Amino acid sequence: MKKRSILLLSLCFLIIGGEMWARPQSKAEVRMYEGVPALYINDTLYPPFAYMSYLGESSYYRSIAESGVHLYCFPAYLGDQGINFESGIGLFREPVWKDYNRFDFSSVQQDLEKIVSVDPKARIIMRIYLDPPQWWVEKNPDQACHMPDGTPFRQCFASEKWRKDTGKALLKCIQWLQKSAYAEHIIGVHVAAGGTEEWYYHLPQRDDRNPIVVTAFRSWLKDKYAGRLSDLQSAWRDSLVTFETASMIDMNRAAENRWLKPSEAQQTLDTYQFHSEVMVDDIIYFCKLVKKATSDRWLTGVFYGYHNNIVDPRMGHCACAKLLESEDVDYISSPNRYHRVAGEDWPPMVAVQSIMRHGKLWLAENDTRTCLTTLLKDKAPEIPPPGQYEADVWYGPKDMETSISFMWKNAGRMLTQGYGGWWFDMWGGWYDDPRLLEVIRQTKDFYAKYGSTESDAMGAEVCVVADEQYCFLDASYGAQIGYMLLNMFAMAKTGAPFDHYLRTDLPSLDMGKYKTVWLMGVLELTDREKDMIDSLSRKGITVMWTGAEGTHLYSKDGDLFERDVHNYSEDQLRSIFEKAGVHIYDHSGDVFYVGRNWICVHTIQAGEKHIELPFDARVIDPATDEILYRSTRTIDFDMEVNSTVIFRVEPLS
């Protein structure tokens, strides 16, 4: 009788109090697979390739489903303000949050229905934009960003009330989804805020005059210096500063083409670090909320950490190392860098190996323009302001062959690096052609067929180390560090694979497996780093250190200092690598990716190509499963202009 009563009570809970669990719930998580983070849904390895559109239509979703991709993203908006202050772009959807306790999920339901009605196998991550509605700003002007004239603007990112109010609204969204007819299809929330949904400060927020910011900064300083006033005064070289009087630097001071001295710039360093950590603290807060509300059944993801692209520290993208420590964040994303031309690499904006080393899945946003790409004004003229979103970056190539090549280049990078991504069909129709859809299908099929093989034989022998806070010391607001980062484009043309880590990971890395280590953008070396350089160079490993004055090369042949040399061509880098004993697969200067038993070549010039392998291998055309070589150390083939080729390479020993 007692057992029966317990059962009845349990049923009542499910029907009344536990209504949210009356719907089936999927479980999505990130686990390690073959040495890299991978996506699992309901305990099954799942291809990490998705489709997203701002203006999603059923016909496009149907085409994607028919291509074999069943993972989708779509946007939703709490507020009624656009995603980019500078451009003035409008909303892509009706806002959800109408008042403190009033919500309208009709736009969310429409999006879900469009997807699920054409794809019953759909798995969906909803991107929720957390910038507040205007009504919230009007009711909470003391919690908004304060522009210099006192005008309230959106949210103050340091406001606890904004965080808590928005958290409650986000929780309402999650609860609605859990109770909806679409519950089993939902597998995650992509948490978004700030400029273009990417967690950088809108222009007015970079100089937020709200007193909340100063109070938060002083509290942050007290934590950093453990309440020891003498440590603060010593670091700031100011015997009068206290935790009650400390102020941030002027965010509007004139740019200067010089480097700051770390020993003389601690106030600047603390200001920018706090400025970035505010963003990360907000991200972690909302991701933790999602995890708790879903009992860890949903993924959480975010755009952040663009240290290879956003070089102005006032934008707040310089605390990725802190974000990576959070167990509540499953994946991190960025678009590919916007040097979108044929014959060049389009790398992520982040040191990807650091992301994956910390167990986070990397998902590239492949907003790849094609010959079918249209301008936003042609699809939704009411959304962009006149003259906006019409620059060259919004146009695709003019021919289908180059469009296909660009998409294969995206695919090759994902496969060789062991990460995933989504095809971002921004205004819709960019990939609405059988030939482009075939690339999407085959990318997923390659992963499903061959997996993501961990291959020591194809491991990188070059390691590039980035300091995400180097821009704090660039008084030009990033112009100098931006020039240095152009080296990343040359790296992809050397014919040698490379790993890319954050400086904060250095103490835990096995640097002995590399033949060249490049500290690219480190102003001053720590004692530990000096010892590391000495140890590596004595072992015959070449170390490059590019700092403010130029580049030092430490090798078994001695030390060389190249003053004022911050930028190298692919030929110069290849020569350095070859002298260090690094294996060069390809000398052509084409964009070259290799790893995880994949090789990808993207070229701007037609002609004969020659790849040299450091091992005997079987070489397969993955599109046809044709064995091109049963055992070889060389791969010879012809390529057309602006084309991309992918090989499956299986080492035999």
Side-chain angles (χ1 to χ4, degrees):
M1 188 70 180
K2 186 176 181 181
K3 289 183 178 179
R4 185 180 177 188
S5 298
I6 293 173
L7 178 60
L8 288 172
L9 284 172
S10 299
L11 289 173
C12 289
F13 174 77
L14 285 172
I15 295 170
I16 303 172
E19 182 184 351
M20 60 183 286
W21 296 115
R23 300 286 185 181
Q25 302 285 312
S26 294
K27 179 175 176 59
E29 58 188 324
V30 174
R31 303 180 193 167
M32 297 303 292
Y33 166 72
E34 290 288 330
V36 294
L39 174 62
Y40 282 78
I41 299 179
N42 296 329
D43 292 321
T44 300
L45 183 66
Y46 200 92
F49 307 110
Y51 171 86
M52 178 174 176
S53 177
Y54 275 138
L55 301 175
E57 295 295 339
S58 295
S59 61
Y60 301 144
Y61 292 132
R62 182 179 291 107
S63 295
I64 292 298
E66 290 172 352
S67 74
V69 171
H70 303 288
L71 184 58
Y72 304 89
C73 306
F74 76 90
Y77 302 89
L78 289 186
D80 52 2
Q81 304 180 77
I83 61 174
N84 188 293
F85 169 79
E86 286 83 350
S87 71
I89 189 172
L91 287 176
F92 289 98
R93 297 290 187 283
E94 284 297 310
V96 167
W97 195 14
K98 301 299 184 179
D99 208 331
Y100 277 117
N101 296 305
R102 187 163 60 89
F103 296 83
D104 182 355
F105 295 108
S106 57
S107 66
V108 176
Q109 184 169 358
Q110 289 169 10
D111 276 304
L112 289 168
E113 184 61 27
K114 283 181 182 179
I115 297 171
V116 173
S117 64
V118 299
D119 188 0
K121 298 179 181 179
R123 294 292 180 263
I124 301 168
I125 298 171
M126 189 165 83
R127 183 188 298 183
I128 303 181
Y129 188 54
L130 304 178
D131 274 24
Q134 184 59 33
W135 66 257
W136 185 92
V137 177
E138 292 172 358
K139 290 184 177 183
N140 298 278
D142 59 329
Q143 304 297 315
C145 164
H146 289 181
M147 293 196 279
D149 65 357
T151 302
F153 172 84
R154 300 205 184 199
Q155 72 271 43
C156 171
F157 278 106
S159 166
E160 286 292 331
K161 188 175 192 305
W162 168 72
R163 184 186 288 182
K164 290 179 180 178
D165 287 355
T166 303
K168 291 177 182 178
L170 175 58
L171 185 59
K172 288 288 187 182
C173 294
I174 293 170
Q175 291 170 342
W176 183 89
L177 290 167
Q178 290 173 320
K179 296 175 184 179
S180 75
Y182 312 99
E184 66 178 310
H185 298 280
I186 308 298
I187 65 164
V189 172
H190 184 108
V191 177
T196 322
E197 305 171 332
E198 295 171 279
W199 287 100
Y200 62 82
Y201 290 93
H202 294 284
L203 184 59
Q205 292 167 330
R206 297 170 206 173
D207 183 31
D208 188 348
R209 305 293 179 89
N210 193 319
I212 292 173
V213 178
V214 177
T215 300
F217 177 57
R218 290 169 178 169
S219 177
W220 180 89
L221 287 174
K222 189 171 290 187
D223 287 341
K224 175 178 179 177
Y225 292 99
R228 291 188 289 268
L229 180 58
S230 60
D231 288 356
L232 172 68
Q233 292 174 339
S234 176
W236 281 30
R237 294 188 168 191
D238 184 349
S239 61
L240 299 179
V241 68
T242 69
F243 291 115
E244 290 72 34
T245 62
S247 61
M248 301 170 68
I249 64 166
D250 179 5
M251 294 288 198
N252 294 313
R253 60 186 179 186
E256 301 176 67
N257 193 37
R258 67 183 181 91
W259 296 100
L260 304 177
K261 293 182 179 180
S263 59
E264 300 175 0
Q266 194 59 50
Q267 182 186 13
T268 298
L269 296 174
D270 284 344
T271 296
Y272 286 145
Q273 186 177 354
F274 161 78
H275 193 60
S276 286
E277 288 192 8
V278 166
M279 280 293 197
V280 167
D281 288 342
D282 287 338
I283 291 170
I284 294 172
Y285 177 87
F286 293 117
C287 287
K288 187 184 294 289
L289 184 150
V290 174
K291 285 294 186 181
K292 184 177 180 180
T294 65
S295 300
D296 289 325
R297 299 186 69 85
W298 288 5
L299 298 175
T300 56
V302 65
F303 293 115
Y304 193 74
Y306 297 6
H307 47 83
N308 280 346
N309 188 70
I310 292 182
V311 291
D312 185 337
R314 296 172 297 181
M315 296 178 77
H317 260 250
C318 302
C320 190
K322 180 175 183 178
L323 184 64
L324 292 177
E325 296 300 322
S326 172
E327 296 180 353
D328 296 304
V329 180
D330 293 308
Y331 72 82
I332 300 177
S333 306
S334 83
N336 303 312
R337 287 196 66 178
Y338 285 104
H339 186 45
R340 306 283 182 82
V341 297
E344 295 286 353
D345 184 23
W346 302 353
M349 298 180 182
V350 182
V352 170
Q353 273 68 43
S354 273
I355 304 299
M356 297 194 289
R357 180 178 177 78
H358 288 266
K360 313 300 182 190
L361 179 63
W362 178 258
L363 293 180
E365 181 171 84
N366 297 305
D367 52 337
T368 306
R369 283 67 161 152
T370 72
C371 58
L372 303 181
T373 295
T374 56
L375 296 178
L376 178 56
K377 69 175 183 178
D378 298 325
K379 284 294 187 77
E382 72 281 2
I383 293 177
Q388 292 290 344
Y389 294 87
E390 298 179 24
D392 289 346
V393 71
W394 296 105
Y395 288 87
K398 295 182 179 180
D399 61 280
M400 179 60 69
E401 289 72 23
T402 303
S403 303
I404 293 171
S405 173
F406 283 175
M407 292 184 67
W408 273 125
K409 179 169 63 171
N410 295 154
R413 215 183 200 291
M414 291 189 289
L415 291 168
T416 59
Q417 299 297 301
Y419 57 76
W422 59 84
W423 305 100
F424 193 10
D425 189 11
M426 297 184 77
W427 328 135
W430 292 13
Y431 314 123
D432 193 27
D433 182 279
R435 292 163 290 183
L436 299 174
L437 291 168
E438 182 66 7
V439 178
I440 293 174
R441 181 186 71 80
Q442 288 193 336
T443 301
K444 185 271 300 178
D445 286 351
F446 289 176
Y447 182 92
K449 184 189 304 182
Y450 294 104
S452 182
T453 309
E454 188 171 17
S455 177
D456 292 336
M458 303 176 81
E461 296 179 325
V462 177
C463 181
V464 177
V465 179
D467 183 350
E468 66 173 331
Q469 298 186 344
Y470 192 34
C471 59
F472 292 180
L473 297 163
D474 185 352
S476 66
Y477 293 128
Q480 297 178 111
I481 189 67
Y483 175 72
M484 195 180 300
L485 288 172
L486 293 177
N487 285 302
M488 298 305 298
F489 295 106
M491 286 292 299
K493 297 182 180 182
T494 63
F498 65 96
D499 289 337
H500 193 198
Y501 287 100
L502 290 173
R503 184 185 187 185
T504 45
D505 283 326
L506 262 181
S508 61
L509 294 178
D510 175 16
M511 307 306 290
K513 67 180 181 179
Y514 299 108
K515 294 181 179 178
T516 301
V517 176
W518 190 358
L519 306 179
M520 187 198 299
V522 176
L523 202 60
E524 288 186 357
L525 298 171
T526 65
D527 289 340
R528 173 180 283 186
E529 288 165 347
K530 292 175 183 177
D531 291 341
M532 180 197 73
I533 290 174
D534 181 62
S535 175
L536 292 178
S537 59
R538 281 191 282 108
K539 293 176 182 177
I541 298 171
T542 296
V543 180
M544 303 172 66
W545 167 36
T546 300
E549 297 180 350
T551 300
H552 297 258
L553 287 92
Y554 306 91
S555 70
K556 58 186 177 182
D557 298 325
D559 301 342
L560 172 66
F561 176 50
E562 298 183 317
R563 181 172 292 280
D564 297 327
V565 178
H566 298 89
N567 193 267
Y568 289 87
S569 69
E570 62 265 25
D571 291 335
Q572 291 171 319
L573 289 175
R574 190 183 304 112
S575 177
I576 293 171
F577 297 162
E578 284 185 305
K579 290 178 182 178
V582 173
H583 179 79
I584 305 297
Y585 287 78
D586 176 23
H587 289 75
S588 68
D590 297 318
V591 175
F592 183 83
Y593 309 134
V594 58
R596 313 195 71 77
N597 289 8
W598 296 102
I599 282 179
C600 175
V601 182
H602 168 75
T603 184
I604 193 172
Q605 295 181 342
E608 296 181 358
K609 307 297 176 183
H610 176 76
I611 295 175
E612 298 178 1
L613 303 174
F615 44 74
D616 295 320
R618 183 171 67 164
V619 181
I620 302 170
D621 178 351
T624 63
D625 291 328
E626 178 187 357
I627 298 176
L628 304 177
Y629 298 89
R630 294 192 178 276
S631 179
T632 187
R633 280 184 174 249
T634 62
I635 308 174
D636 295 295
F637 54 99
D638 291 327
M639 291 187 70
E640 300 295 330
V641 65
N642 295 346
S643 61
T644 304
V645 65
I646 294 178
F647 298 109
R648 180 70 180 176
V649 178
E650 298 179 347
L652 297 177
S653 59

